[in-house]
Structures are given as structure tokens and as C-alpha cells.
Coordinates of all heavy atoms in Angstrom, one line a residue:
M12 N 14.5 -56.8 137.6 CA 15.0 -57.7 136.6 C 14.8 -59.2 137.1 O 15.2 -59.5 138.2 CB 16.5 -57.4 136.3 CG 17.0 -58.3 135.2 SD 18.7 -57.8 134.7 CE 19.7 -58.1 136.2
A13 N 14.3 -60.0 136.2 CA 14.2 -61.4 136.6 C 15.6 -62.1 136.7 O 16.5 -61.6 136.1 CB 13.4 -62.2 135.5
K14 N 15.6 -63.1 137.5 CA 16.9 -63.8 137.7 C 17.5 -64.5 136.5 O 18.7 -64.6 136.3 CB 16.8 -64.8 138.8 CG 17.0 -64.2 140.2 CD 17.1 -65.4 141.2 CE 17.1 -64.9 142.6 NZ 16.9 -66.0 143.6
Y15 N 16.5 -65.1 135.7 CA 17.0 -65.9 134.6 C 16.2 -65.6 133.3 O 15.1 -65.2 133.4 CB 16.7 -67.4 134.9 CG 17.3 -67.9 136.1 CD1 16.5 -68.1 137.3 CD2 18.6 -68.3 136.2 CE1 17.1 -68.5 138.5 CE2 19.2 -68.7 137.4 CZ 18.4 -68.9 138.5 OH 19.0 -69.3 139.7
K16 N 16.9 -65.8 132.2 CA 16.3 -65.6 130.9 C 16.3 -66.9 130.1 O 17.4 -67.5 130.0 CB 17.0 -64.5 130.1 CG 16.3 -64.2 128.8 CD 16.7 -62.8 128.2 CE 15.7 -62.2 127.3 NZ 14.4 -61.8 128.0
I17 N 15.2 -67.3 129.6 CA 15.1 -68.6 128.9 C 14.9 -68.2 127.4 O 13.9 -67.5 127.1 CB 13.9 -69.4 129.4 CG1 14.1 -69.7 130.9 CG2 13.8 -70.7 128.5 CD1 12.8 -70.4 131.5
E18 N 15.7 -68.7 126.5 CA 15.6 -68.4 125.1 C 15.7 -69.7 124.3 O 16.4 -70.7 124.7 CB 16.8 -67.5 124.7 CG 16.7 -66.2 125.3 CD 18.0 -65.3 125.1 OE1 19.0 -65.7 125.7 OE2 17.9 -64.4 124.4
I19 N 15.0 -69.7 123.2 CA 15.0 -70.9 122.3 C 15.4 -70.5 120.9 O 14.8 -69.5 120.4 CB 13.6 -71.6 122.3 CG1 13.2 -72.0 123.7 CG2 13.6 -72.7 121.3 CD1 11.8 -72.6 123.7
D20 N 16.4 -71.1 120.4 CA 16.8 -70.8 119.0 C 15.8 -71.4 118.1 O 15.7 -72.6 117.9 CB 18.2 -71.4 118.8 CG 18.8 -71.1 117.4 OD1 18.0 -70.9 116.5 OD2 20.0 -71.0 117.3
Q21 N 15.0 -70.5 117.5 CA 13.9 -71.0 116.7 C 14.3 -71.6 115.4 O 13.6 -72.5 114.8 CB 13.0 -69.8 116.4 CG 12.3 -69.1 117.6 CD 11.3 -70.1 118.2 OE1 10.3 -70.5 117.6 NE2 11.5 -70.4 119.5
E22 N 15.5 -71.3 114.9 CA 16.0 -71.9 113.7 C 16.3 -73.4 114.0 O 16.1 -74.2 113.1 CB 17.3 -71.2 113.3 CG 17.1 -69.7 112.8 CD 16.4 -69.7 111.4 OE1 16.7 -70.5 110.6 OE2 15.4 -68.9 111.3
Q23 N 16.9 -73.6 115.1 CA 17.3 -75.0 115.4 C 16.2 -75.9 116.0 O 16.3 -77.1 115.8 CB 18.4 -75.0 116.5 CG 19.7 -74.5 115.9 CD 20.9 -74.6 116.9 OE1 20.7 -75.1 118.0 NE2 22.1 -74.2 116.5
C24 N 15.2 -75.3 116.5 CA 14.1 -76.1 117.1 C 13.4 -77.0 116.1 O 13.0 -76.5 115.0 CB 13.0 -75.2 117.8 SG 11.6 -76.0 118.4
T25 N 13.3 -78.3 116.3 CA 12.7 -79.2 115.4 C 11.3 -79.4 115.6 O 10.6 -80.2 114.9 CB 13.4 -80.6 115.5 OG1 13.2 -81.1 116.8 CG2 14.9 -80.4 115.2
G26 N 10.7 -78.8 116.7 CA 9.3 -79.0 117.1 C 9.0 -80.4 117.6 O 7.9 -80.9 117.6
C27 N 10.0 -81.1 118.2 CA 9.9 -82.4 118.7 C 9.0 -82.5 120.0 O 8.5 -83.6 120.3 CB 11.2 -83.0 119.0 SG 12.0 -82.4 120.5
M28 N 8.7 -81.4 120.6 CA 7.9 -81.3 121.8 C 8.4 -81.9 123.1 O 7.7 -82.0 124.1 CB 6.5 -82.0 121.6 CG 5.7 -81.3 120.4 SD 4.1 -82.0 120.2 CE 3.3 -81.7 121.7
A29 N 9.7 -82.3 123.1 CA 10.3 -82.9 124.3 C 10.3 -81.9 125.5 O 10.0 -82.3 126.6 CB 11.7 -83.4 124.0
C30 N 10.6 -80.7 125.2 CA 10.6 -79.7 126.3 C 9.2 -79.5 126.8 O 9.0 -79.3 128.0 CB 11.2 -78.3 125.8 SG 10.3 -77.6 124.4
N31 N 8.2 -79.4 125.9 CA 6.8 -79.3 126.3 C 6.3 -80.4 127.2 O 5.7 -80.2 128.2 CB 6.0 -79.1 125.1 CG 4.5 -79.0 125.4 OD1 3.7 -79.9 125.0 ND2 4.0 -78.0 126.0
A32 N 6.8 -81.6 126.8 CA 6.4 -82.8 127.6 C 7.1 -82.8 128.9 O 6.5 -83.2 129.9 CB 6.8 -84.1 126.8
S33 N 8.3 -82.4 129.0 CA 9.1 -82.4 130.2 C 8.7 -81.2 131.1 O 8.7 -81.4 132.4 CB 10.6 -82.2 129.8 OG 11.4 -82.0 131.0
C34 N 8.3 -80.1 130.6 CA 8.0 -78.9 131.4 C 6.9 -78.1 130.8 O 7.1 -77.0 130.3 CB 9.3 -78.1 131.5 SG 9.2 -76.8 132.7
P35 N 5.7 -78.7 130.9 CA 4.6 -77.9 130.3 C 4.3 -76.6 131.0 O 3.6 -75.7 130.4 CB 3.4 -78.9 130.4 CG 3.8 -79.9 131.4 CD 5.3 -80.0 131.4
D36 N 4.8 -76.4 132.2 CA 4.6 -75.2 132.9 C 5.2 -74.0 132.2 O 4.8 -72.9 132.3 CB 5.2 -75.3 134.3 CG 4.3 -76.1 135.3 OD1 3.2 -76.5 134.9 OD2 4.8 -76.3 136.4
N37 N 6.3 -74.3 131.5 CA 7.0 -73.2 130.9 C 7.3 -73.3 129.4 O 7.9 -72.3 128.8 CB 8.3 -72.9 131.6 CG 8.7 -71.4 131.6 OD1 8.2 -70.7 130.7 ND2 9.5 -70.9 132.5
F38 N 6.9 -74.4 128.8 CA 7.2 -74.5 127.3 C 5.9 -74.9 126.6 O 5.2 -75.8 127.0 CB 8.3 -75.5 127.1 CG 9.6 -75.1 127.6 CD1 10.0 -75.4 128.9 CD2 10.5 -74.4 126.8 CE1 11.2 -75.0 129.4 CE2 11.7 -73.9 127.3 CZ 12.1 -74.3 128.6
E39 N 5.6 -74.1 125.6 CA 4.4 -74.4 124.8 C 4.8 -74.4 123.3 O 5.9 -73.9 123.0 CB 3.3 -73.4 125.0 CG 3.8 -71.9 124.7 CD 2.7 -70.9 125.1 OE1 1.6 -71.3 125.4 OE2 3.1 -69.7 125.0
M40 N 3.9 -75.1 122.5 CA 4.2 -75.2 121.1 C 3.3 -74.2 120.4 O 2.1 -74.1 120.7 CB 3.9 -76.6 120.6 CG 4.7 -77.7 121.4 SD 6.5 -77.5 121.4 CE 6.9 -77.7 119.7
K41 N 3.9 -73.5 119.4 CA 3.2 -72.6 118.5 C 3.7 -72.8 117.1 O 4.9 -72.9 116.9 CB 3.3 -71.2 119.0 CG 2.6 -70.8 120.2 CD 2.6 -69.3 120.5 CE 1.8 -69.0 121.7 NZ 2.0 -67.6 122.2
D42 N 2.7 -72.7 116.2 CA 3.2 -72.8 114.8 C 3.8 -71.5 114.3 O 3.4 -70.5 114.7 CB 1.9 -73.1 113.9 CG 1.4 -74.5 114.1 OD1 2.1 -75.3 114.8 OD2 0.3 -74.8 113.5
D43 N 4.9 -71.7 113.6 CA 5.5 -70.5 113.0 C 4.8 -70.1 111.7 O 3.8 -70.7 111.4 CB 7.0 -70.7 112.8 CG 7.4 -71.7 111.7 OD1 6.4 -72.2 111.0 OD2 8.5 -72.1 111.5
A44 N 5.3 -69.1 111.0 CA 4.6 -68.6 109.8 C 4.4 -69.6 108.8 O 3.4 -69.6 108.0 CB 5.4 -67.4 109.3
S45 N 5.3 -70.7 108.7 CA 5.1 -71.7 107.7 C 4.4 -72.9 108.2 O 4.3 -73.9 107.5 CB 6.5 -72.1 107.2 OG 7.3 -72.6 108.2
G46 N 3.8 -72.8 109.4 CA 3.0 -73.9 110.0 C 3.8 -75.0 110.7 O 3.2 -76.0 111.1
M47 N 5.1 -74.7 110.9 CA 5.9 -75.7 111.6 C 5.8 -75.4 113.1 O 5.9 -74.3 113.6 CB 7.4 -75.5 111.3 CG 7.7 -76.0 109.9 SD 7.8 -77.8 109.8 CE 9.2 -78.1 110.9
P48 N 5.5 -76.5 113.9 CA 5.4 -76.3 115.4 C 6.8 -75.9 115.9 O 7.8 -76.6 115.6 CB 4.9 -77.6 115.9 CG 5.3 -78.6 114.9 CD 5.3 -77.9 113.6
K49 N 6.9 -74.9 116.8 CA 8.1 -74.5 117.4 C 7.8 -74.2 118.9 O 6.7 -73.8 119.3 CB 8.6 -73.2 116.8 CG 8.9 -73.2 115.3 CD 10.3 -73.9 115.1 CE 10.6 -73.9 113.6 NZ 12.0 -74.4 113.4
A50 N 8.8 -74.5 119.7 CA 8.6 -74.3 121.2 C 8.9 -72.9 121.5 O 9.7 -72.2 120.9 CB 9.6 -75.2 121.9
K51 N 8.1 -72.4 122.5 CA 8.2 -71.0 123.0 C 8.2 -71.1 124.6 O 7.4 -71.9 125.1 CB 7.1 -70.1 122.6 CG 6.8 -70.1 121.2 CD 7.5 -69.0 120.4 CE 7.0 -69.0 119.0 NZ 8.0 -68.5 118.1
P52 N 9.0 -70.3 125.2 CA 8.9 -70.3 126.7 C 7.6 -69.5 127.0 O 7.4 -68.4 126.4 CB 10.1 -69.5 127.2 CG 10.7 -68.8 125.9 CD 10.1 -69.5 124.7
K53 N 6.8 -70.0 127.9 CA 5.6 -69.3 128.3 C 6.0 -68.0 128.9 O 5.3 -66.9 128.8 CB 4.7 -70.1 129.2 CG 4.0 -71.2 128.5 CD 3.1 -72.0 129.5 CE 2.3 -73.1 128.8 NZ 1.6 -74.0 129.8
N54 N 7.0 -68.1 129.7 CA 7.5 -66.9 130.4 C 9.1 -66.9 130.3 O 9.7 -67.7 131.0 CB 7.1 -66.8 131.9 CG 7.5 -65.5 132.6 OD1 8.1 -64.7 131.9 ND2 7.2 -65.4 133.8
P55 N 9.6 -66.1 129.4 CA 11.1 -66.1 129.2 C 11.9 -65.5 130.4 O 13.1 -65.8 130.5 CB 11.3 -65.3 128.0 CG 10.1 -64.4 127.8 CD 9.0 -65.1 128.5
D56 N 11.3 -64.7 131.2 CA 12.0 -64.0 132.3 C 11.4 -64.6 133.6 O 10.3 -64.3 134.0 CB 11.8 -62.5 132.2 CG 12.3 -62.0 130.9 OD1 13.5 -62.1 130.7 OD2 11.5 -61.4 130.1
V57 N 12.2 -65.4 134.3 CA 11.7 -66.0 135.5 C 12.7 -65.9 136.7 O 13.9 -65.7 136.5 CB 11.5 -67.5 135.3 CG1 10.3 -67.8 134.3 CG2 12.7 -68.2 134.9
D58 N 12.2 -65.9 137.9 CA 13.0 -65.9 139.1 C 13.4 -67.3 139.6 O 14.3 -67.5 140.3 CB 12.4 -65.1 140.2 CG 12.4 -63.6 140.0 OD1 13.4 -63.1 139.4 OD2 11.4 -62.9 140.3
E59 N 12.5 -68.3 139.2 CA 12.7 -69.7 139.6 C 12.7 -70.5 138.3 O 11.8 -70.4 137.5 CB 11.6 -70.2 140.5 CG 11.4 -69.4 141.8 CD 12.5 -69.7 142.8 OE1 13.2 -70.8 142.7 OE2 12.8 -68.8 143.7
L60 N 13.7 -71.4 138.2 CA 13.8 -72.2 137.0 C 12.8 -73.3 136.9 O 12.3 -73.7 135.9 CB 15.2 -72.7 136.8 CG 16.2 -71.7 136.3 CD1 17.6 -72.3 136.2 CD2 15.8 -71.1 134.9
G61 N 12.4 -73.8 138.1 CA 11.5 -75.0 138.2 C 12.0 -76.1 137.3 O 13.2 -76.5 137.4
C62 N 11.2 -76.5 136.4 CA 11.6 -77.7 135.5 C 12.2 -77.2 134.2 O 12.5 -78.0 133.3 CB 10.3 -78.5 135.2 SG 8.9 -77.5 134.5
A63 N 12.5 -75.9 134.1 CA 13.1 -75.4 132.8 C 14.4 -76.0 132.5 O 14.7 -76.2 131.3 CB 13.1 -73.9 132.8
M64 N 15.3 -76.2 133.5 CA 16.6 -76.7 133.2 C 16.5 -78.2 132.8 O 17.2 -78.6 131.8 CB 17.5 -76.7 134.5 CG 18.9 -77.2 134.3 SD 19.8 -76.3 133.0 CE 20.3 -74.8 133.9
D65 N 15.5 -78.9 133.3 CA 15.3 -80.3 132.9 C 14.9 -80.3 131.4 O 15.4 -81.1 130.6 CB 14.2 -81.0 133.7 CG 14.6 -81.2 135.1 OD1 15.8 -81.2 135.4 OD2 13.7 -81.4 136.0
A66 N 14.0 -79.4 131.0 CA 13.6 -79.3 129.7 C 14.7 -79.0 128.7 O 14.9 -79.6 127.7 CB 12.5 -78.3 129.5
A67 N 15.6 -78.1 129.2 CA 16.7 -77.7 128.3 C 17.7 -78.9 128.1 O 18.2 -79.1 127.1 CB 17.5 -76.5 129.0
Q68 N 17.8 -79.7 129.2 CA 18.7 -80.8 129.1 C 18.1 -82.0 128.2 O 18.9 -82.7 127.6 CB 19.0 -81.4 130.5 CG 19.9 -80.4 131.2 CD 20.1 -80.7 132.7 OE1 19.3 -81.4 133.3 NE2 21.2 -80.2 133.2
V69 N 16.8 -82.1 128.1 CA 16.3 -83.1 127.2 C 16.2 -82.7 125.8 O 15.9 -83.5 124.9 CB 14.9 -83.6 127.7 CG1 14.9 -84.2 129.1 CG2 13.8 -82.6 127.6
C70 N 16.4 -81.4 125.5 CA 16.3 -81.0 124.1 C 17.3 -81.7 123.2 O 18.5 -81.5 123.5 CB 16.4 -79.4 124.0 SG 16.5 -78.9 122.3
P71 N 16.9 -82.4 122.2 CA 17.9 -83.2 121.4 C 18.8 -82.4 120.6 O 19.9 -82.9 120.2 CB 17.0 -84.1 120.6 CG 15.7 -83.4 120.5 CD 15.5 -82.6 121.8
V72 N 18.5 -81.1 120.4 CA 19.4 -80.3 119.5 C 20.0 -79.1 120.4 O 20.6 -78.2 119.8 CB 18.7 -79.7 118.3 CG1 18.3 -80.9 117.3 CG2 17.4 -78.9 118.6
N73 N 19.8 -79.2 121.7 CA 20.4 -78.2 122.6 C 20.1 -76.8 122.2 O 21.1 -75.9 122.2 CB 21.9 -78.4 122.7 CG 22.2 -79.8 123.2 OD1 21.6 -80.3 124.2 ND2 23.2 -80.5 122.6
C74 N 18.9 -76.5 121.8 CA 18.6 -75.1 121.4 C 17.9 -74.3 122.4 O 17.5 -73.2 122.2 CB 17.8 -75.2 120.1 SG 16.1 -75.7 120.2
I75 N 17.8 -74.8 123.7 CA 17.2 -74.0 124.8 C 18.4 -73.5 125.6 O 19.2 -74.3 126.0 CB 16.3 -74.9 125.7 CG1 15.1 -75.5 124.8 CG2 15.8 -74.0 126.8 CD1 14.3 -76.4 125.6
H76 N 18.4 -72.2 125.8 CA 19.5 -71.5 126.5 C 19.0 -70.8 127.7 O 17.9 -70.1 127.5 CB 20.3 -70.6 125.5 CG 20.8 -71.3 124.3 ND1 21.8 -72.2 124.4 CD2 20.3 -71.3 123.0 CE1 22.0 -72.7 123.1 NE2 21.1 -72.2 122.3
I77 N 19.7 -70.9 128.8 CA 19.3 -70.2 130.0 C 20.4 -69.4 130.5 O 21.5 -69.9 130.6 CB 18.8 -71.2 131.1 CG1 17.6 -72.1 130.6 CG2 18.5 -70.5 132.4 CD1 17.2 -73.2 131.5
T78 N 20.2 -68.1 130.7 CA 21.2 -67.2 131.2 C 20.8 -66.7 132.6 O 19.7 -66.3 132.8 CB 21.3 -66.0 130.2 OG1 21.5 -66.5 128.9 CG2 22.4 -65.1 130.6
E79 N 21.8 -66.7 133.5 CA 21.7 -66.0 134.8 C 21.9 -64.5 134.6 O 23.0 -64.1 134.2 CB 22.7 -66.6 135.7 CG 22.5 -66.2 137.2 CD 23.5 -67.0 138.1 OE1 24.7 -66.8 137.8 OE2 23.0 -67.7 139.0
M80 N 20.9 -63.7 134.8 CA 21.0 -62.3 134.4 C 22.0 -61.5 135.1 O 22.7 -60.6 134.6 CB 19.6 -61.7 134.4 CG 18.6 -62.3 133.5 SD 19.2 -62.4 131.8 CE 19.1 -60.7 131.3
E81 N 22.1 -61.8 136.4 CA 23.0 -60.9 137.3 C 24.4 -61.1 136.8 O 25.2 -60.1 136.8 CB 22.8 -61.3 138.7 CG 23.5 -60.3 139.7 CD 23.2 -60.7 141.1 OE1 22.2 -61.3 141.4 OE2 24.1 -60.4 141.9
T82 N 24.8 -62.3 136.5 CA 26.2 -62.5 136.1 C 26.4 -62.6 134.6 O 27.6 -62.6 134.2 CB 26.7 -63.9 136.8 OG1 25.9 -64.9 136.2 CG2 26.6 -63.8 138.3
G83 N 25.4 -62.8 133.9 CA 25.5 -63.0 132.4 C 26.0 -64.4 132.1 O 26.2 -64.7 130.9
K84 N 26.0 -65.2 133.1 CA 26.5 -66.6 132.9 C 25.5 -67.5 132.1 O 24.3 -67.5 132.5 CB 26.8 -67.2 134.2 CG 27.5 -68.6 134.1 CD 27.9 -69.1 135.5 CE 28.4 -70.5 135.4 NZ 28.4 -71.2 136.7
K85 N 26.0 -68.1 131.1 CA 25.1 -69.1 130.3 C 25.1 -70.4 131.1 O 26.2 -71.0 131.3 CB 25.7 -69.3 128.9 CG 25.6 -68.1 128.1 CD 24.6 -68.2 127.0 CE 24.6 -67.0 126.1 NZ 23.2 -66.6 125.7
L86 N 24.0 -70.8 131.6 CA 23.9 -72.0 132.4 C 23.8 -73.2 131.5 O 24.2 -74.3 131.9 CB 22.7 -72.0 133.3 CG 22.7 -70.8 134.3 CD1 21.5 -70.9 135.2 CD2 24.0 -70.8 135.2
I87 N 23.2 -73.0 130.3 CA 23.1 -74.1 129.3 C 22.9 -73.5 128.0 O 22.3 -72.4 127.8 CB 21.9 -75.1 129.7 CG1 21.9 -76.3 128.7 CG2 20.6 -74.4 129.6 CD1 21.1 -77.5 129.3
Ligands
LIG20 S1 13.0 -80.0 122.9 FE1 14.2 -78.5 121.7 S2 13.9 -79.1 119.6 FE2 12.3 -80.1 120.8 S3 10.5 -78.7 120.7 FE3 11.7 -78.2 122.5 S4 13.2 -76.6 121.9 FE4 12.4 -77.5 120.0

């Protein structure tokens, strides 16, 4: 099991690309079914957070969530 899980609330994501700009290593933009750009984690299950926490902190609508899997603790 990976140490951390990165999730993005697709309903709340505005497609602003801030996470992608802050952390292109782990966030990419993909159009949803209606053609709206939405952020996706390139790898939702990671052992190292790298820049993912920075990206979560710059999200203007706080829709990036990171969970520590061993404890189930929500880090953001
Ligand atoms: S920063 Fe937040 S709102 Fe903006 S694209 Fe990323 S997940 Fe979506």
C-alpha cells in the first residue's frame, strides 16, 4: 500500500490549473465529458508527496485532498 492517497473533488475543481502549474510532476489537466478542463493526479497513490502538498495548498477552492493511508489521517 502506498503511503499517501491524493484525491481531487471533480465537482469543485474549476480547472484553474494552479495545481498543474505548481506541481506538474503530479497534476495534469484533462477535459471532462462536457469539455471542461479538470485536474487529475498523475499518480494518486504515492510514497513521497514531493510538491503535491504545495499544489493542494495553492488550490483556490481547496478541492485537493491528501490522506495518510496508514493512519487514515486527512492531511489537507
Ligand atoms: S488548483 Fe484546484 S481548482 Fe485549480 S485545477 Fe487544480 S484542483 Fe482544480
